[in-house]
Amino acid sequence: MTASPTREAIPAKTRDALRAAQLYYMQDLTMEAIAAELKTSRSSVSRLLSHARDSGLVEILIHSPLEGPERLEQQVRERHDITAHVVPVPDHTSDVERLERVALTAARILAGFVDSNQRIGIAWGSTIGAVGRHLPHRTTHNTDVVQLNGAGNMRTTGIMYASELLTRFGAAFEAQVHQFPVPAFFDDPRTKQAFWRERSIRRVLELQSGLDLAVFGVGSPFAEVPSHVYQGGYLDAADYAALSREDVVGDVATVFYRADGSTDGIPLNDRATGPTFAVLRRAPRRVCIVAGRAKVPSLRGALRAGLITDLILDESTARELAGGPEPAP
């Protein structure tokens, strides 16, 4: 049993932020009254309240009676049998700003999903990279963060890119990070098979097969903010032609799929290093984060593949998803 930290062990800024938050949110004091009680300025109180929110000391839940995000969440839940978290974003917002706003909300929601003694699988990509920049700090114990797919390509080993992303998750949750030092795609399926027999690689594969929580986006070649796999030098012209022939609509952790969620017979998957969908579905909670309506075809395919238990997405994307064709049985 871990002992609670003493008052002296808690940073002064955290103590002040907690005190300000209790006065503001629990006792309804004004910022001026709090400033007087703490013998500081109103601007300092504002910064303390921001710190309380950003660090996870305070979580704010909004229950709206309006037919907005909550109604869309219900519609997505009824159509797809998943939990949806809809982020209010104006329709005229650019996909770049949309991504940042979804990522900020997703980071705070994720912090509530993470606990001690968990294995957390992270699939790198533009969306998850943005989430990593906004993660609040949460202390956990015996928690592992596991890279789900390799990141190397013809231009770079991918180690720096993947390491930076994973380190943010590890630091946020005080977790041990396990990198996956292989390319995103092998040139030859037989090379992949040989690597998968190595003990150092098998160790990571075993971690991936026993996840408690998986976090990923959906890759799409059609989005305004391109998925990293489509703009980072991972695919060549022959790869794109092969994906087109197979009617691929997107990928999760560099495993490609069609609109019906199927992956069989797609040659590039034989060389991909992401977990198979059967492995991914073993995780009891699988959180998908999506920003931008251009990703709706990819998202629908991932839903039909049964990959998602929790979905965090912007309002206009949710509206299109909720109003689209019925999901396949």
Side-chain angles (χ1 to χ4, degrees):
M1 182 174 180
T2 304
S4 299
T6 63
R7 178 178 176 82
E8 291 73 19
I10 299 174
K13 184 176 181 180
T14 299
R15 293 199 302 269
D16 291 344
L18 182 59
R19 178 65 175 167
Q22 289 170 331
L23 294 173
Y24 187 75
Y25 294 108
M26 306 301 291
Q27 300 182 31
D28 291 332
L29 267 65
T30 65
M31 288 195 186
E32 289 79 4
I34 297 170
E37 181 162 332
L38 299 183
K39 296 181 174 57
T40 187
S41 66
R42 187 184 186 282
S43 61
S44 294
V45 172
S46 178
R47 287 193 293 271
L48 287 172
L49 292 174
S50 294
H51 177 69
R53 293 191 298 270
D54 293 342
S55 62
L57 291 173
V58 170
E59 294 182 2
I60 299 175
L61 298 177
I62 300 174
H63 299 282
S64 171
L66 304 176
E67 287 198 359
E70 288 197 345
R71 177 60 179 163
L72 286 171
E73 290 172 355
Q74 180 181 348
Q75 290 173 341
V76 172
R77 181 172 63 250
E78 290 172 350
R79 292 175 69 87
H80 299 284
D81 193 26
I82 61 171
T83 300
H85 305 267
V86 176
V87 182
V89 182
D91 287 348
H92 60 77
T93 306
S94 73
D95 271 12
V96 175
E97 175 63 19
R98 187 182 307 276
L99 172 59
E100 283 302 304
R101 292 177 65 164
V102 170
L104 177 60
T105 299
R108 291 174 176 171
I109 292 172
L110 273 179
F113 293 162
V114 173
D115 206 345
S116 297
N117 304 307
Q118 283 188 339
R119 289 182 184 174
I120 305 167
I122 304 295
W124 54 259
S126 303
T127 301
I128 305 306
V131 172
R133 294 194 293 271
H134 297 291
L135 288 169
H137 179 265
R138 178 170 184 175
T139 299
T140 67
H141 308 282
N142 193 36
T143 297
D144 296 292
V145 169
V146 185
Q147 181 178 339
L148 290 183
N149 48 323
N153 60 30
M154 289 293 291
R155 300 178 186 174
T156 172
T157 63
I159 292 174
M160 292 297 293
Y161 168 73
S163 176
E164 181 179 1
L165 190 157
L166 291 167
T167 297
R168 286 177 177 148
F169 279 84
F173 304 123
E174 298 184 10
Q176 182 176 356
V177 171
H178 303 270
Q179 289 189 273
F180 197 27
V182 295
F185 303 98
F186 286 99
D187 289 336
D188 189 323
R190 292 171 297 183
T191 308
K192 171 184 169 180
Q193 294 165 9
F195 262 78
W196 264 220
R197 291 193 293 269
E198 291 293 322
R199 286 178 295 175
S200 61
I201 300 300
R202 287 209 313 268
R203 181 187 69 84
V204 181
L205 295 175
E206 288 168 4
L207 289 171
Q208 293 175 359
S209 68
L211 297 175
D212 299 290
L213 170 65
V215 182
F216 53 88
V218 291
S220 170
F222 315 112
E224 182 179 328
V225 181
S227 303
H228 194 77
V229 71
Y230 296 101
Q231 53 90 32
Y234 292 91
L235 305 174
D236 58 24
D239 294 328
Y240 279 109
L243 294 176
S244 179
R245 285 194 299 271
E246 293 295 334
D247 297 319
V248 165
V249 297
D251 77 281
V252 166
T254 61
V255 175
F256 298 93
Y257 54 89
R258 305 178 185 88
D260 62 0
S262 64
T263 62
D264 57 293
I266 299 175
L268 199 53
N269 286 341
D270 294 333
R271 301 192 281 117
T273 54
T276 66
F277 288 177
V279 168
L280 198 58
R281 283 191 290 260
R282 292 176 192 165
R285 172 164 266 163
R286 305 178 297 277
V287 182
C288 180
I289 304 163
V290 177
R293 286 176 293 179
K295 289 195 173 184
V296 168
S298 303
L299 177 55
R300 287 194 178 120
L303 286 165
R304 289 178 179 132
L307 298 182
I308 302 168
T309 62
D310 295 78
L311 176 62
I312 305 170
L313 72 171
D314 63 277
E315 192 170 359
S316 60
T317 303
R319 193 179 303 116
E320 184 165 337
L321 180 67
E326 288 292 333

